[in-house]
Amino acid sequence: MDDLNTTAEKIRTMDIRGAGRIAVAASAALRDYAMSLKSLPLSEFNIKLEEAAKTLVDTRPTAVSLPNAVALTKRHNATNVYDAIDEISKNAEKFITNAGEALEKIGMIGAQRIHDGDVIMTHCNSHAALSIIKTAFDQGKDISVIATESRPRRQGLITIRELNDHGIPTTLIVDSAVRLTMKEVDLVVVGADSISVNGALINKIGTSQLAMAAQEARRNVIVAAETYKFSPRTLLGEMVEIEDRSSDEVIDAEILRELPNVKVKNPAFDVTPAEYIDLIITEVGAFPPSMAFTVIKDYLGLELAV
Ligand code: RUB
């Protein structure tokens, strides 16, 4: 399980990060691992495949793209290992190809919502959100971006580099400047780690603050999310788990040791209720959050809920 463990570790330590990238990396790792098991009898193969799936899924708890990718990749009806590997390879190829195409389609659909002169605020680093912004820019629209720093991991610095390299005028702000700056903004575009059946968005900590400030200033909030970011398990009443990360990301461990009365909370994601979201742009179209159930039923399949 060497290569699989390496991928799992990279996801855990956030060398591979962002819900889409995590999903694609997990699908590829599971495919490669399945291929390495070709000499096993089917029963043993299936046990090892389930163990590997669990190893991947357990790395980070919030992005539903990860269990969705793993479930879509590992399923097979084969009666021998060769056919099982064949099915799994095809599943992975389909998932990875669709994920790439979904980003392009989201860009095309979402760009229709962006107008010449728009100032767009974004948070963290979302490839789906950036696809919309870059596509609008490539269409010749005169746009600019306000990007949040996104403490504590500062993924905003990845975003501003990407936007800079694309030639898009960009302003970096600290997270606490969101409300003050919102009056300069025309719309907010963010990504998604999970979308629950009630249309709530789970995304990088601080996303709900952008959404609240946008609602207060009467600005639209657009979420860019591939259909595999919707959470089928929320249909069964399951809540999306919010990942708690290490205090080391927030404060130096040595300083913290000097402060015995202080503890650190470092939730990596937060929940934005559906009423703060105007539109979710997926690769199959733009939906209001109230249509999350339809997306799950028609495009992911209810069987992923179990
Ligand atoms: C990343 C994050 C992104 C979503 C969507 O969090 O919150 O907005 O994952 O990204 P982290 P994408 O850095 O903790 O993984 O659109 O690229 O899938």
Side-chain angles (χ1 to χ4, degrees), residues 14 17-22 60 63 103 123-129 155 190-193 203-204 224 226 228-229 243 245 268-269:
M14 292 177 61
R17 51 145 299 281
R21 303 259 159 132
I22 291 172
R60 292 193 75 189
L103 274 180
H123 186 52
C124 193
N125 176 253
S126 157
H127 296 91
Q155 291 92 332
V190 291
D193 279 86
N203 192 50
K204 180 55 54 197
E226 301 86 330
Y228 67 81
K229 310 260 180 78
E243 176 180 13
R245 294 191 64 88
F269 301 96

Side-chain angles (χ1 to χ4, degrees), residues 22-300:
I22 291 172
V24 165
S27 181
L30 200 58
R31 172 202 59 204
D32 296 347
Y33 180 63
M35 283 172 164
S36 76
L37 303 177
K38 59 178 178 290
S39 53
L40 294 183
L42 185 64
S43 55
E44 220 174 300
F45 173 90
N46 283 334
I47 292 170
K48 290 221 172 274
L49 193 67
E50 287 304 326
E51 283 169 5
K54 187 170 172 352
T55 300
L56 289 167
V57 169
D58 285 350
T59 50
R60 292 193 75 189
T62 302
V64 73
S65 54
L66 178 56
N68 281 349
V70 166
L72 291 169
T73 304
K74 79 179 162 82
R75 64 181 170 196
H76 73 84
N77 291 316
T79 50
N80 66 68
V81 167
Y82 280 95
D83 289 348
I85 291 174
D86 190 46
E87 274 189 52
I88 289 166
S89 298
K90 285 183 179 140
N91 293 342
E93 194 184 316
K94 187 171 161 201
F95 183 81
I96 294 165
T97 307
N98 286 351
E101 289 174 1
L103 274 180
E104 275 178 45
K105 288 180 189 155
I106 287 170
M108 293 305 291
I109 297 169
Q112 295 181 37
R113 300 277 157 174
I114 308 229
H115 303 107
D116 214 28
D118 274 353
V119 178
I120 303 153
M121 184 180 278
T122 192
H123 186 52
C124 193
N125 176 253
S126 157
H127 296 91
L130 286 180
S131 177
I132 293 179
I133 295 168
K134 286 180 188 170
T135 306
F137 182 78
D138 293 346
Q139 289 171 346
K141 291 174 187 162
D142 175 20
I143 58 169
S144 62
V145 175
I146 297 179
T148 57
E149 184 188 16
S150 310
R151 281 278 294 156
R153 297 286 296 227
R154 306 177 87 201
Q155 291 92 332
L157 301 188
I158 308 173
T159 294
I160 59 166
R161 186 166 290 278
E162 258 186 89
L163 291 167
N164 174 74
D165 294 352
H166 210 80
I168 302 177
T170 301
T171 305
L172 175 68
I173 58 167
V174 295
D175 300 320
S176 40
V178 161
R179 186 165 177 240
L180 182 76
T181 317
M182 192 56 76
K183 52 181 174 293
E184 297 165 28
V185 169
D186 294 291
L187 78 166
V188 170
V189 181
V190 291
D193 279 86
S194 286
I195 295 173
S196 62
V197 67
N198 64 3
L201 164 70
I202 296 88
N203 192 50
K204 180 55 54 197
I205 188 81
T207 302
S208 66
Q209 290 175 162
L210 267 76
M212 282 171 68
Q215 191 175 71
E216 182 189 45
R218 297 181 182 276
R219 304 297 196 264
N220 281 345
V221 174
I222 289 182
V223 178
E226 301 86 330
T227 50
Y228 67 81
K229 310 260 180 78
F230 285 71
S231 172
R233 276 173 178 261
T234 56
L235 271 172
L236 307 176
E238 200 171 285
M239 305 286 279
V240 175
E241 185 182 337
I242 302 291
E243 176 180 13
D244 261 318
R245 294 191 64 88
S246 164
S247 61
D248 297 352
E249 292 183 347
V250 182
I251 186 170
D252 197 88
E254 263 179 45
I255 298 174
L256 192 59
R257 265 194 292 278
E258 291 163 13
L259 307 169
N261 299 319
V262 175
K263 64 176 183 190
V264 174
K265 267 183 90 65
N266 183 20
F269 301 96
D270 68 14
V271 182
T272 303
E275 56 266 32
Y276 292 89
I277 298 163
D278 294 286
L279 212 52
I280 303 174
I281 310 285
T282 76
E283 72 275 22
V284 293
F287 297 91
S290 55
M291 282 184 74
F293 174 72
T294 307
V295 175
I296 293 173
K297 182 167 76 60
D298 293 351
Y299 298 102
L300 264 177

